[in-house]
Amino acid sequence: MAVTLEQRVEMLETRLALQDLTSDYCLGFDKRDMGRFLAIWWPDAVWEIGPPFGDFVGHAGVVHAVEDILWPAWKESTHYTTNLRLTSVGEDAIEGICDVYCIGNSIEGQAQTVAATYTDRFERRDGVWKIARRKVTMQHFSPLTGITLTAPQ
């Protein structure tokens, strides 16, 4: 069965929308823009960060995780996501996987590096795509011994 031009355009629009969600996660967190960050999640979303942080449910859980646990631990951070792969699991549901690398300074000024994989369930509700579930699988969360990240002079 041939894919119509309209179907192809919808597939491209969906892919771009999901890439934007992935980018807005990074930008919202790193720029400390809670409005941008919260806008990517459905109100009943589940964010499984796992140990040592925990799992969080709904907008209240996301706000708690970011404002009470993560932002207070990071002086600054920069996330980079790559290798986004998407698999349709229904007309309004897509599973995604991507890798993330984060570098930044802890609140104490210790340079940190994090590598992880995000496994996502994106859902479209009333024509809008958002994250319904994100599972974080850490590869490493490590200090960069003897290194302090500073702004260029």
Side-chain angles (χ1 to χ4, degrees):
M1 177 169 84
V3 178
T4 68
L5 179 59
E6 287 177 356
Q7 290 169 318
R8 291 171 60 198
V9 168
E10 182 179 342
M11 289 179 350
L12 289 171
E13 288 176 342
T14 295
R15 181 177 239 333
L16 292 172
L18 300 183
Q19 286 175 328
D20 284 350
L21 291 174
T22 302
S23 295
D24 283 345
Y25 176 98
C26 299
L27 291 169
F29 188 89
D30 294 336
K31 307 303 183 212
R32 298 188 180 226
D33 181 345
M34 182 53 77
R36 178 188 294 256
F37 191 79
L38 198 57
I40 69 171
W41 305 93
W42 284 115
D44 58 348
V46 176
W47 188 15
E48 299 175 61
I49 305 175
F53 304 106
D55 298 338
F56 304 91
V57 178
H59 280 178
V62 169
V63 170
H64 168 63
V66 173
E67 291 185 346
D68 299 331
I69 299 169
L70 299 171
W71 280 348
W74 287 92
K75 184 176 175 188
E76 62 254 331
S77 61
T78 304
H79 287 74
Y80 303 95
T81 53
T82 187
N83 305 326
L84 178 63
R85 297 295 298 166
L86 303 169
T87 303
S88 178
V89 292
E91 186 176 332
D92 295 317
I94 291 179
E95 291 179 350
I97 188 168
C98 67
D99 293 317
V100 62
Y101 178 73
C102 177
I103 191 165
N105 284 318
S106 70
I107 201 68
E108 296 85 17
Q110 171 63 60
Q112 300 275 349
T113 181
V114 180
T117 298
Y118 295 150
T119 304
D120 297 317
R121 178 177 174 88
F122 300 101
E123 292 181 1
R124 179 171 48 191
R125 302 178 189 173
D126 296 321
V128 176
W129 287 99
K130 293 188 181 190
I131 298 173
R133 177 177 296 272
R134 170 162 277 184
K135 179 177 173 54
V136 179
T137 304
M138 298 270 187
Q139 277 78 52
H140 78 258
F141 191 122
S142 308
L144 296 172
T145 308
I147 297 174
T148 302
L149 301 177
T150 58
Q153 299 300 325

